Amino acid sequence: METKRATATKSTGKKISASTSKASPKATSKSSAKMTGKSSTKSTAKTAAKSSEKIPAKQDSAKNLSDLFEDSLKDIYWAEKALSKALPKMQKNATDTKLKQALGEHLEETKEQVKRLEACFKALKKKAEAKKCDAMQGLLDEGTGIMEETKPGAVRDAGIIAAAQKVEHYEIATYGTLAAYAKILKEKECLKHLLLTLDEEKNCNDLLSKIADTNLNSKAINA
């Protein structure tokens, strides 16, 4: 009897061991899933926390609207100088006669716009200083990328117009804001220069739309 019981115990022990062995992968899988879920939740929580954190101001940050106005002038001053170097490349890669002419004319306008910004600095009794504009740098880089990714002709011309209009829209927004600041700050000399440039940017954008809408975009369909 004792021998039989011992055998039964051994047999039962083997069965229990086997049963436990079979259940382990599932248990491990569930445990792993729970851990992954917790990890994902924590990661999401951390990301949400970071996105809602207040951004600390730099030591040289603008303390009032006058400071912000000056900093914004430095940004667009850099942007216009960078654009004056990029426009000749756009003009050289364009094939449509009207587009080449429009880009050439705007290049001359841009040079004058740089001088107007320098006049603004002078009116503020500040040194004309350029501060890298990341937004303009990104737009110009994108413009170069568009030219690299399009074949010369109508397709590239359409791409150049798209890139140029993105730049114009950015400038329209910037000069509109700067004009609003100048008005509030009662900087009449600056306001005069900024409004003149704002009109030029709007006119250039309208001209580019007309060039694209006439027949250039249609040519690009079957180019």
Side-chain angles (χ1 to χ4, degrees), residues 29-49:
S29 178
K30 288 181 179 179
S31 176
S32 177
K34 287 181 180 178
M35 289 297 289
T36 303
K38 288 180 180 178
S39 177
S40 177
T41 302
K42 286 181 180 179
S43 178
T44 303
K46 285 181 180 179
T47 302

Side-chain angles (χ1 to χ4, degrees), residues 149-190:
E149 294 166 5
T150 51
K151 291 182 178 181
V155 176
R156 181 172 289 182
D157 286 348
I160 288 173
I161 288 177
Q165 286 196 291
K166 287 182 182 182
V167 169
E168 292 308 308
H169 290 179
Y170 172 73
E171 290 184 313
I172 288 168
T174 299
Y175 281 109
T177 300
L178 286 171
Y181 290 169
K183 186 177 180 180
I184 291 295
L185 294 169
K186 296 181 180 180
E187 297 291 350
K188 294 181 180 179
E189 186 70 15
C190 290

Side-chain angles (χ1 to χ4, degrees), residues 13-33:
K14 287 180 180 179
K15 288 181 180 179
I16 291 171
S17 178
S19 175
T20 304
S21 178
K22 290 179 180 179
S24 291
K26 292 182 180 179
T28 303
S29 178
K30 288 181 179 179
S31 176
S32 177

